[in-house]
Amino acid sequence: MYVYLASLYFLFYLFSDVIAHSLYKLFNLFGSHLIELDGKKGCYFAVWAPSATNVTVMGDFNHWRSSQFKLNPRWDKSGIWEGFIPGVKHGAVYKYNVTGPNGQVFEKGDPYAFMWEVPPQTGSIVWDIREFKWRDDNWLSKRKSFNKLTSPMSVYEVHLGSWKKPERKESSFQTYTQMKEDLVPYVKDMGFTHVELMPVMEHPYYPSWGYQIIGYFATSSRFGTPQEFMDLVDEFHEQGIGVILDWVPSHFPSDGHSLSYYDGTHLYEHGDPQRGYHPDWKSLIFDYGKKEVKSFLISNALFWCDYFHADGLRVDAVASMIHLDYSRKEGEWTPNKDGGRENLEAVEFVKEMNTAVHAFYPDVLTIAEESTSYPLVTASVHDGGLGFDQKWMMGWMHDTLKYFSQDPIHRKFHHNQITFSMVYAFSEKFVLPFSHDEVVHGKGSLLTRMPGDEWQKFANLRLMLGYMFTHPGAKLLFMGCEFGQSWEWSHINGLEWHLLKFNYHKNIQSFVRKLNQLFTELKALHFHSFHPAGFEWLAADDSENSVISYIRRGEHENESVIVILNMTPVKRENYRIGVPAKGSWKEILNSDDKKWSGGGVVNSKTIKSERVFQHNKADSICLTLAPLSIIILGPTIKANKL
């Protein structure tokens, strides 16, 4: 009933170091592929299981009989089993029946399957993902001109399963098609330049939010087909919005149909529990020293850039990968050969992954969620770094949230928390994240973490978001934070869209829309996001008043803006600020404007500088600082020197 193909796809020794291209494009070789052989249509299957003694394919096309369709081991002793089964069609459900070296039998999903059944069903699905006509040639062409260092980047982080739920229950989801109609225009209207999607890869346990992946090469079937997800990405591109995908090469679940113990041995996971088991997530850690595993993961990274036109990959939990002692006590980990705590094999994998992505797709971003002070995360591999384009600035996030949670009367004693980030702001190319991790597990929403009454909470939130958008670095904001979600995020209930009936919530949403507009239009706020030329303190030491002020500079000298933040509910009149040059200044933004639900204390008139020395500047201006407010000033007359 089946025909054995000795070398239909495998023209090279896949796991040699000879042909790098084939090593990084394994999705074209492994898995299930619809072909025609000798006039017969069917499906070619290939799976890596080197310690298996027998591998068969079973599915709905043969009533799940496990002995009918045997695969054959390749002659080259690569551990690859392959075969052709005529009559198998697009949409067929299947699994591999794998007999391990000790005779134990496992029913496994296909590591390279392009589609899976909707959980809790666990079968892989034969799927031709090539059948989609992309419309984003113009976007991909323009993407080549996106400057990773100087272009504005404001990211909206989204969990697809809970952004907008038809019903407030766990099993209720919008489809990819519905998201195309709702999510894309919303992100466009809000002015974000990019969307970051929490893992869309197939995962069996919905409350894992996608971070426990089973199907590394498949979009989640909960929301539709792979082509429908492609259509969603295509529409984002049509509207000029980049798509970043969360990617999880750090760990995987131990479910029976997963990569776990795949051929009866520790094939994908490291065999040493100290290096192969994650105590926090009760999951398994990849064996980064095994070249076949590295090829699997790097091929997967390239797959999402290739077939799904991803504009970026945000790599989850990098710190857990590159540190042997991550979340482990003394005695629970073994130093590397040099006596250090670094996982040298994981470090080399990360470097190889970044090198491959940038070689095949130079205009695709790689972003590290790396929470330690590991050096040179965003330096090139050539210069001794890990090779990422950006890194999440976790220290800034924690310090900022801790500072703003303080009652304003105490903030003068914690002034260094809000200024310290500039000590290391340009040591890496940072993203400032207010992510999903900060609004779950009892932390509350951003709004509920702000002190004071309702007015003060919203004023503080506007102030904090304004601080983020004027601080050097790219920006990331989790869904719901833009309109003041009142409770912490729930993947079951989704977002509280009904809150937009109330002015406080509607107006802070409009405020974020304005911040995005200014951030993308004013070069002063984005051109030097990763370079010290774009920032200068005016006053970092006014702890008594809890006021900070600074200059943001653009590409040219006349593009500078001044930012002043008053962190207390005290109105400050005749507050003198040094200015970079003689001239007139006006408010571009004041978070206390009534249209943002503020108190209306604004500097409505043009302010002319005076020859009064302040903040090491020869000229200065006097302002009224509204309570709990941020002001952005721009020049109205070209100054002598900015």
Side-chain angles (χ1 to χ4, degrees), residues 286-335:
F286 286 101
D287 186 348
Y288 303 108
K290 198 176 289 182
K291 59 185 178 181
E292 298 91 341
V293 173
K294 286 201 297 183
S295 295
F296 170 81
L297 289 171
I298 294 172
S299 293
N300 187 241
L302 297 181
F303 169 78
W304 294 101
C305 304
D306 190 328
Y307 276 89
F308 289 90
H309 293 199
D311 304 294
L313 298 172
R314 177 265 193 185
V315 184
D316 183 64
V318 173
S320 75
M321 297 167 60
I322 63 177
H323 292 102
L324 295 168
D325 62 343
Y326 185 88
S327 205
R328 298 180 191 275
K329 299 175 183 177
E330 188 175 349
E332 296 179 346
W333 63 282
T334 302

Side-chain angles (χ1 to χ4, degrees), residues 271-289:
D272 181 352
Q274 287 192 349
R275 300 178 65 178
Y277 179 75
H278 202 296
D280 285 351
W281 304 315
K282 308 297 187 290
S283 55
L284 303 177
I285 301 171
F286 286 101
D287 186 348
Y288 303 108

